[in-house]
Amino acid sequence: MVSRRQFLSGAAVLATVTVAGCAGKDDGAGGGDGAVSFTYLRPTWGPATYTKDGPFEKALEKQGKADIDVQIIPVIDYDTKVNTILASGDIPDVIWGSGPSSATWKEAQDEGAFLPIDDYLEQYPALREAVPESIWKILKDENGDTYFIPNLIWPQVPFFLCYREDLFEKAGIEPPTTVDEFAPTVAKVKSAFPEQVPFTMGYEWSAKEIATSFGVSMFSWEPSPADPDLLIPWYMKEPEVDMYFWFQDLHKRGLLDPDYGVNKEPNFADDKFKAGKSVMVISHWSSIPDATTQLRSIDKNAKVGVVSPLGELGGNRLVFPVDRGFYVSGTMEDPDGFFRFLNWTLTDGSELRRWGIRDKTFTVSEDGKEPIPDNEREKAFQGPQLEPMGFLGPFSEKLDWDITKLAFEAAKIPDRFDYVKGKFDEYCAQEYPDYRDPTVRSAVEDKKGTQLYEDYLQKVAQSTIINHDVSRDDWRKAVDKWRAAGGDQIIDEINTAQKDKSKPSYIPR
């Protein structure tokens, strides 16, 4: 089973190549005689600057025989806003959500809000084959029915600690090798480059690899040090709390970007680094080609380096290989047409989905296709216009080193590919998964888990780093109150329901 043991097959299209495929045959393939029309609501991880009816959207609709009314919500706001949409009952034809592992979405699913899709999986084998069978099994409800189409990701998604290698060399600064060396190194950076932010990062999740250097899997359940057969949540794990107060100390000393926790734009840290306004950043491992391209438009000597995992414990916080996904509304007028379109994106339309449009998002030479770096494209063909038109990519594409290498060549840094791949291997050599099976449920958690978190834990969890008055005693008291109000019941129910508490692995061996 993929949820507790080995994951199947491999490969992925890199985020820097971003999306889509080759404007090819015009015979399209939505199938049938007419275009399917549907509304589509999804989150976006990039800037929310999408405008309707762009040239890529038109090409996709023409070739796929579809009329798509796209609505987007920035991912940081998505869960809050989509709950209101669910409560209203006015659900778009196709809507992204968290899937049946979320009590909110499972309730809507059970109440008949969404269409069961097993017949379509049988009718369109390309759709079924895009997702490992072990994942489809996890997504079935207690009656054996499937409703949710998962957005697959490769479980190894390290967030690198990146730095301006050229500036470090200029100032004679060596990158840190341990957690203890980190603050002194950033202090040297701050002194050498006072006009730049020494170190920046986005929201807490980007620090998940830093957490491994403290010996924990961030935002997860892991065995209690006192009892390996008892899984406990992240806010009860002392090493993870240590990391929060370590970041608080960095912030207090002016070593962490003052915009952290204030600027709610999820990409602000990356944007600051790419604009040459910061020297160090925690960033998605695939961002280096784009970051280098943008930096060299400002400074031709810019060079992005990657700090190795800090200390002997440092590694990769593995992720469960489903990151949201989408449902089809139970009231959709033409679900057959939508599934024909979705099947087309995985078959005849796969080149458009993967590569985009020739001479707009990629070029062709005697060596084959080459992606055009996002910042060198016309705005109408940049990531913010393409991302909202994405649906499902097969798991077999989720870690494709050949595609990744093209991104480095397109950024004119082919010599850095082996270097970055080596860093990827360093980070992924030591794995830190979430021990909790995502399908395991707690009745108390489903009923009042969110409220308990908001009442007792949210304040310390969200303010500790930037509020220097928050103490370890405040954190301890918050956890004690949470446990007394129902948290211990949640812990007991999870541990009772989950018999297998061994370390899961999602990577083929």
Side-chain angles (χ1 to χ4, degrees), residues 78-91 104:
Y78 193 80
D79 290 341
T80 300
K81 293 184 177 181
V82 82
N83 285 343
T84 303
I85 294 171
L86 285 178
S88 74
D90 187 14
I91 299 175
T104 300

Side-chain angles (χ1 to χ4, degrees), residues 187-205:
K188 291 177 183 177
V189 171
K190 182 178 180 180
S191 177
F193 305 101
E195 300 301 315
Q196 292 164 277
V197 173
F199 166 58
T200 186
M201 69 177 189
Y203 46 96
E204 287 92 336
W205 181 246

